[in-house]
Amino acid sequence: MKLTTKLLTTAALLLTATAAVAHPGHDHGSSGFTSGLLHPLLGLDHLLAMAAIGFWSVRQGNVMKNATPLFVVGGMILGAGLAFAGIALPGVETGIVQSVIVAGILIAAMAKLPTAVGATLVMAFMVFHGHAHGTEMPSGAMLAAYLAGFSIATLGITFAGRGLGALLMKADNRVARGVGAGLAAVGGYLMVG
């Protein structure tokens, strides 16, 4: 199977996830690992934001491009740590949806940001995602297993987004801009829906 076909198949499968399953009341496994692994994959808002950040990172400078997966996971773990510590974070759902909108806009605009700005933006948005994951950890789940599960899923989604972004870099820029505009539109729909 060609790399292009694999990336497009992965992207298509990731985009078929539903939004509601990633939120409280959906226990996907008692060990924590399965719950952590599935949580980012089964929430459209989480899935789109992580894939979009990966997609956007392909056009950034080398430092930002290479370090984006670390910023994504780092932000997720920081946000989860805040939740585990009982520290409330206002506007979590709004921050998650805004991350989809902003990432879509950055892709559509083909925006290149300085590393410090890009890293701060990615980390800030991922703190919201991580906080949601931390808040929604099933009772009785093992913390380390849950963190490992959602970190692996997050990296997988981010790298799938990067793969699609790299593939579309070779195509007409209008395609990438269209993907970004579509992501921003879905984010807008999620914001009002």
Side-chain angles (χ1 to χ4, degrees):
M1 196 181 250
K2 288 185 177 181
L3 177 62
T4 303
T5 305
K6 287 180 184 179
L7 290 173
L8 291 175
T9 301
T10 300
L13 289 172
L14 291 175
L15 291 175
T16 60
T18 59
V21 178
H23 299 284
H26 302 282
D27 185 5
H28 301 292
S30 59
S31 74
F33 180 78
T34 304
S35 295
L37 189 66
L38 291 176
H39 191 127
L41 294 170
L42 298 177
L44 185 61
D45 46 6
H46 297 299
L47 182 67
L48 291 178
M50 293 169 201
I53 289 169
F55 187 109
W56 168 77
S57 73
V58 172
R59 293 183 184 262
Q60 302 309 298
N62 283 336
V63 172
M64 186 65 201
K65 178 170 47 176
N66 294 326
T68 294
L70 298 176
F71 298 141
V72 169
V73 171
M76 290 281 291
I77 291 172
L78 177 60
L82 293 173
F84 298 147
I87 299 171
L89 187 61
V92 169
E93 291 299 321
T94 301
I96 290 170
V97 173
Q98 286 178 347
S99 68
V100 177
I101 295 169
V102 171
I105 291 169
L106 289 171
I107 292 168
M110 301 214 165
K112 288 188 177 185
L113 299 178
T115 299
V117 174
T120 301
L121 185 65
V122 168
M123 290 278 294
F125 279 137
M126 296 319 294
V127 164
F128 288 109
H129 289 269
H131 195 279
H133 291 316
T135 301
E136 297 162 10
M137 183 175 91
S139 62
M142 295 186 324
L143 176 61
Y146 187 70
L147 286 172
F150 81 62
S151 295
I152 289 168
T154 296
L155 285 171
I157 296 166
T158 303
F159 280 111
R162 283 173 66 128
L164 184 59
L167 178 68
L168 291 180
M169 272 183 71
K170 299 172 186 172
D172 188 337
N173 283 340
R174 290 178 290 186
V175 176
R177 289 180 189 272
V179 168
L183 285 167
V186 170
Y189 174 77
L190 292 172
M191 180 71 84
V192 297

